Amino acid sequence: MASAAEGDVGTRTELSGVLLSAFEELSLNKLATSLGASEQALRLIISIFLGYPLALFYRHYLFYKDSYLIHLFHTFTGLSIAYFNFGNQLYHSLLCVLLQFLILRLMGRTVTAVLTTFCFQMAYLLAGYYYTATGNYDIKWTMPHCVLTLKLIGLAVDYFDGGKDQNSLSSEQQRYAIRGVPSLLEVAGFSYFYGAFLVGPQFSMNHYMKLVQGQLTDIPGKIPNSTVPALKRLSLGLVYLVGYTLLSPHITEDYLLTEDYENRPFWLRCMYMLVWGKFVLYKYVTCWLVTEGVCILTGLGFNGFEEKGQAKWDACANMKVWLFETTPRFTGTIASFNINTNAWVARYFFKRLKFLGNKELSQGLSLLFLALWHGLHSGYLVCFQMEFLIVIVERQAANLIRESPVLSTLASIAVLQPMYYLVQQTIHWLFMGYSMTAFCLFTWDKWLKVASAELVQKRLSPSSQHSRAPAPGQRSRRLEDMALAAVPLPPKSSSGAKGETLVGGAEGPVASQGSPLHVALSPL
């Protein structure tokens, strides 16, 4: 009787587990469908916002606790987030973390260890891109893995620097050099920290260890007073999310591929490209502001004090929002966007190429590395190549104005400053739009189609040529049509367009461009 009862209980327990799992899947599917997004996108958004309750738990129950408990908490929560989003494919990150730990222990603080780390981690990431990438944003294991790749390469370099004579290192290298020998649990906690596992930001092993040791607080011996700064970044991220949600049905990259866009007047295509080029970046801004809030809440965002004694919480800031919104120069946008990734490339790649003796070559190789790190699509190479050329032209134009007495005098006229600013912003975001076209459309056939629309004038049939000269009675109607055309339009029916998911469209249902969940999270 006892065995029969136990078997009955076991059957009921198993059945309850199956029903609970089915209920969860059904709920996620229904909710994702109602929001016009894929289930993968919904899981990703839930995981990002889940960082806030996890950070609160850490603040109240684990701050100043034993280090191994904190590492275990970060490892367990990060792995849970990975499994929730990617299932058994979390083994990719586990494998790379474990092998990286073995490389550090077996090869030590050597150049061989650094080169092995760089080659293995980048090769693994590129192989993942090759086998999983599609023509859309992909919600695959490669999305957080690109963030992990930079973390592990930076870890190897800092560990190598830790074995050098301190006097031979720059002040920056001394700050990040790892003197001790990280344990497997420390490497895992650093790699899977829930506030940055999916989309960043980047931070060093030393900074992470300061968090674990309770040093990242503005009140020594107490929990950091970071709730208000964290909520400010979260609120700002939600503002961008709402703005993106309201405008996304009217400003889409899909429209760039339609015949309706090709048939618009040149000035209207430029206007649309200008608006779209600024707007398309809002999805990245939203993502980074929300995750920055999580890092601030845990204390990871603590960055010392200002001269007046006020605490700074920008250690994990990936955006300088005011600079991003107001700068009229391309270099200003670069300085305000994806800050931590750019700082990582400068610290671990660009400055390490100093032996080449050529700054432009080092910059070009750094941008090539960034392009490959994003993926294997040709659009990434074109985007960063255009960025490189535009920055060079912008600097030469600034030097020309500075060295010319006439141009300098004209540029200093206060009354004309608003007009200069408007012209600069127009040129700035127009070229940004064309750079982002290749970045967002990925494949050469798509971005080349948009580029050719500006270079090739379509031949008009006799009937269309006749229609170019409207009768006097039709003129008011044509002017009205042009006024309506000035408003960015959603794409009309495109040939076999499937739409886009949040970060990947190869699997699952199509995500609506107007969905609040349509926030592309692939790192820029």
Side-chain angles (χ1 to χ4, degrees), residues 277-285 324 337 429 436 524:
K278 179 67 175 285
F279 169 76
V280 71
L281 296 177
Y282 281 2
K283 50 194 174 184
Y284 304 103
V285 178
F324 174 76
F337 192 82
W429 286 111
M436 291 304 299
L524 177 62

Side-chain angles (χ1 to χ4, degrees), residues 434-495:
Y434 282 107
S435 298
M436 291 304 299
T437 298
F439 188 92
C440 293
L441 296 180
F442 302 117
T443 57
W444 67 269
D445 56 319
K446 292 182 180 179
W447 59 258
L448 189 60
K449 179 180 180 181
V450 178
S452 63
E454 314 304 337
L455 300 176
V456 180
Q457 180 66 37
K458 297 183 69 176
R459 293 185 179 182
L460 299 175
S461 62
S463 59
S464 61
Q465 291 177 358
H466 178 71
S467 64
R468 293 181 64 183
Q474 297 176 338
R475 189 173 303 275
S476 60
R477 179 60 181 170
R478 290 292 302 278
L479 292 176
E480 180 183 353
D481 291 341
M482 291 184 65
L484 291 174
V487 180
L489 300 174
K492 297 183 179 180
S493 59
S494 57
S495 56

Side-chain angles (χ1 to χ4, degrees), residues 188-205:
F190 166 69
S191 301
Y192 286 104
F193 175 68
Y194 53 86
F197 171 70
L198 288 175
V199 294
Q202 293 292 329
F203 52 88
S204 68
M205 183 69 171

Side-chain angles (χ1 to χ4, degrees), residues 193-422:
F193 175 68
Y194 53 86
F197 171 70
L198 288 175
V199 294
Q202 293 292 329
F203 52 88
S204 68
M205 183 69 171
N206 280 353
H207 195 68
Y208 169 75
M209 291 303 297
K210 289 180 180 179
L211 172 71
V212 175
Q213 296 163 4
Q215 299 179 23
L216 299 182
T217 176
D218 57 332
I219 311 174
K222 295 183 179 180
I223 296 174
N225 188 26
S226 59
T227 303
V228 174
L231 291 178
K232 286 182 179 179
R233 301 309 274 181
L234 172 61
S235 300
L236 189 56
L238 292 176
V239 169
Y240 273 92
L241 178 59
V242 171
Y244 185 80
T245 301
L246 294 176
L247 293 176
S248 57
H250 307 285
I251 310 174
T252 68
E253 53 261 35
D254 288 338
Y255 182 63
L256 299 172
L257 301 173
T258 63
E259 291 186 5
D260 186 62
Y261 173 80
E262 291 185 16
N263 294 330
R264 297 287 179 177
F266 176 73
W267 67 269
L268 182 56
R269 294 200 301 270
C270 289
M271 180 185 295
Y272 187 90
M273 185 65 69
L274 186 151
V275 175
W276 175 81
K278 179 67 175 285
F279 169 76
V280 71
L281 296 177
Y282 281 2
K283 50 194 174 184
Y284 304 103
V285 178
T286 299
C287 165
W288 289 327
L289 288 175
V290 173
T291 53
E292 182 189 350
V294 176
C295 295
I296 292 175
L297 194 60
T298 62
L300 192 69
F302 181 69
N303 198 23
F305 297 90
E306 297 177 350
E307 295 181 357
K308 297 181 180 179
Q310 186 175 1
K312 296 187 296 182
W313 300 100
D314 58 354
C316 294
N318 244 351
M319 287 296 307
K320 295 180 180 178
V321 177
W322 180 253
L323 178 62
F324 174 76
E325 293 292 352
T326 59
T327 180
R329 303 187 62 175
F330 203 86
T331 49
T333 298
I334 295 175
S336 67
F337 192 82
N338 205 1
I339 298 171
N340 279 286
T341 300
N342 291 335
W344 188 99
V345 174
R347 183 165 62 247
Y348 295 108
F349 200 90
F350 174 74
K351 293 180 181 179
R352 305 279 170 166
L353 296 177
K354 187 177 180 180
F355 67 92
L356 295 176
N358 189 312
K359 185 177 181 180
E360 286 73 22
L361 178 59
S362 298
Q363 288 177 336
L365 291 175
S366 298
L367 290 174
L368 176 61
F369 168 77
L370 266 179
L372 291 175
W373 174 69
H374 278 89
L376 298 175
H377 291 301
S378 61
Y380 295 129
L381 292 172
V382 172
C383 175
F384 287 104
Q385 181 186 35
M386 289 186 66
E387 174 184 321
F388 183 59
L389 295 176
I390 291 171
V391 168
I392 292 176
V393 172
E394 187 178 67
R395 289 175 178 171
Q396 290 179 345
N399 291 334
L400 178 63
I401 295 174
R402 192 181 304 111
E403 295 171 0
S404 172
V406 177
L407 295 178
S408 298
T409 303
L410 289 174
S412 62
I413 299 176
V415 179
L416 299 178
Q417 292 301 317
M419 185 186 70
Y420 294 153
Y421 181 80
L422 181 62

